[in-house]
Amino acid sequence: MEKRVRQMNIPALLEAYVLFALAIWLLVYLVSGQYLVYVTPRMLPYLISTVVVLAVLGIVTLTRLFQPNRRGQVAHVFVLSLPLIVLLLPHGTISVSSDDLSAVTVPAAQTAQPNATPNPGSGTAAVSATPAADLEEEAIDGLDRASRTIAITTENYYDWMERLYNDCVVYEGYTVSMTGYVINGSDVFAENEFALARLVMTCCVADLSPVGVNCKYDDAGQLKPDDWYSVQGILIAGSYEINGTTYNEPQLAVTRITPTEAVSGYVYPY
């Protein structure tokens, strides 16, 4: 009696290979932290779920390894391999040239709910600061009221940007230290001004935007755009006007500025 040889389902084999390869490479990205180049840390649970789903799909696909493939099509395997090709490409932290920017982005809390009250007789509005006592309830790391200093780091960067843009009057005169890259390549800044900023990622790489503060510095014109500096300065409650409403704007009168290495990664608000 002639023995029948079972023919391997090549499309199923290729499909399983791509699914397992995707799961493995995505897992490597998660373990190494490279996924943070593209999405925020809060996406980690969803990415872990994706790895599990890919592995399960790969196992299920293997059960069809010796089932007849009547269609014989492999086009869907090519489509599945596209994300794998993207993962295998060289990658690194995205940079935004200040030539493409007119100014830093104001944290959303400031633009959505300006703390403005009418200023009688002027036709404009003055920003009212939140009392310092209320701010004690939402303490942010880096604040030293005794020495009147604020140390802004990657971990507390966005929290302090929100606080300073909404309540900079409360901290006027404090000494602020922070690190960022220079934006000064536009008509927005005066000769003695530049912005010190960091890139903020709210959800994914598509929404990257620079957030920072304007700095007053006599030699601002000598600073190269996109170069990184550690800056120390005295906080000033500046202002700007939009549609007849005056908003407080945190500004730094620079007392010390030092070139430094670029800080890897982004700032994540959530």
Side-chain angles (χ1 to χ4, degrees), residues 72-148:
Q73 297 177 353
V74 294
H76 67 288
V77 178
F78 173 74
V79 175
L80 282 174
S81 66
L82 291 179
L84 180 61
I85 294 173
V86 172
L87 289 176
L88 293 175
L89 290 174
H91 66 279
T93 303
I94 306 297
S95 62
V96 177
S97 173
S98 45
D99 291 337
D100 301 325
L101 304 169
S102 59
V104 295
T105 301
V106 177
Q110 159 66 9
T111 55
Q113 297 179 344
N115 298 319
T117 56
N119 184 7
S122 67
T124 62
V127 177
S128 61
T130 303
D134 295 342
L135 298 178
E136 292 288 356
E137 299 178 0
E138 299 180 5
I140 302 176
D141 290 340
L143 174 65
D144 188 334
R145 291 191 181 276
S147 60
R148 293 176 61 84

Side-chain angles (χ1 to χ4, degrees), residues 127-165:
V127 177
S128 61
T130 303
D134 295 342
L135 298 178
E136 292 288 356
E137 299 178 0
E138 299 180 5
I140 302 176
D141 290 340
L143 174 65
D144 188 334
R145 291 191 181 276
S147 60
R148 293 176 61 84
T149 60
I150 298 172
I152 299 178
T153 64
T154 297
E155 289 72 24
N156 62 24
Y157 189 92
Y158 195 83
D159 290 336
W160 270 115
M161 290 299 105
E162 279 194 320
R163 177 66 58 83
L164 294 182
Y165 269 95

Side-chain angles (χ1 to χ4, degrees), residues 152 157 176-184 194-198 215 217 219-232 252 254 256-263:
I152 299 178
Y157 189 92
V176 177
S177 59
M178 59 185 295
T179 297
Y181 70 94
V182 171
I183 299 176
N184 61 358
F194 70 95
L196 193 71
R198 292 284 304 275
C215 299
Y217 181 54
D219 295 326
Q222 298 180 14
L223 303 179
K224 294 182 179 179
D226 306 321
D227 279 358
W228 284 75
Y229 291 90
S230 291
V231 168
Q232 187 178 85
L252 290 183
V254 176
R256 187 174 67 188
I257 182 168
T258 308
T260 188
E261 295 293 327
V263 179

